Amino acid sequence: ADYLAVLERTLEKVLARVRPQLVIFDAGVDQHAADRLGHLELSDSGLYHRERHVIQRCRAAGAAVACVIGGGYDRDIEALAWRHSQLHRAALDVWREAHGQPALFGPPGLNLPTVLLTVLPSAPERKRPPSRVAGVFVQACRQDSSDIT
């Protein structure tokens, strides 16, 4: 069965039955097609749509949503950061639309020159200085990153 279709059906049932006040959404990216462990074949756009759908449905059900990133097994830190950035992009789009403003991002591939700045903690296990990791994340959040050095 298609992952997103199953998620949509299941989420609706759970929200209707439980009627939560708070949802903690662990938006792991193991489901990405390029992930070494997940193999659920989601694209970058699929991740964005999943994050957006979960946040929108939870908010429509009256639940506050706390989101965390997690998972993702890729040695390409830039690609992994880009996948994780879909959560932030979707959350901002949902918030803006709820407040009568147009979405800034939409799914990946719209080629909008926008930047979302997020400060990341140091990552000594990756043996990269924190400024490099944060710079990679900022670059990954940009639709057209070809002009970033």
Side-chain angles (χ1 to χ4, degrees):
D2 177 55
Y3 170 80
L4 290 175
V6 170
L7 172 69
E8 289 174 10
R9 285 193 312 270
T10 305
L11 181 61
E12 291 302 319
K13 290 176 186 175
V14 169
L15 290 173
R17 180 184 297 159
V18 177
R19 296 184 314 202
Q21 293 179 337
L22 171 66
V23 172
I24 300 173
F25 175 32
D26 181 357
V29 296
D30 303 32
Q31 298 81 4
H32 195 273
D35 191 82
R36 293 184 296 146
L37 296 179
H39 306 293
L40 289 174
E41 304 306 318
L42 280 186
S43 63
D44 293 340
S45 183
L47 288 172
Y48 172 88
H49 285 292
R50 179 195 64 182
E51 316 325 24
R52 185 180 178 97
H53 178 78
V54 169
I55 295 167
Q56 283 179 320
R57 296 311 310 142
C58 290
R59 295 299 300 139
V65 184
C67 303
V68 297
I69 59 172
Y73 300 91
D74 195 323
R75 289 185 175 94
D76 182 345
I77 191 71
E78 288 86 359
L80 186 58
W82 173 251
R83 291 175 202 144
H84 284 301
S85 77
Q86 299 314 306
L87 173 63
H88 305 286
R89 298 161 59 88
L92 181 58
D93 282 350
V94 170
W95 184 88
R96 287 181 57 86
E97 289 174 345
H99 291 86
Q101 300 173 33
L104 285 177
F105 298 110
L110 292 182
N111 208 23
L112 299 174
T114 52
V115 175
L116 174 65
L117 177 61
T118 301
V119 178
L120 297 179
S122 63
E125 69 280 359
R126 291 191 185 113
K127 298 188 181 359
R128 294 177 184 237
S131 61
R132 170 72 175 126
V133 176
V136 164
F137 193 82
V138 169
Q139 181 175 352
C141 292
R142 188 174 167 88
Q143 285 289 343
D144 180 11
S145 61
S146 60
D147 60 338
I148 295 178
T149 57

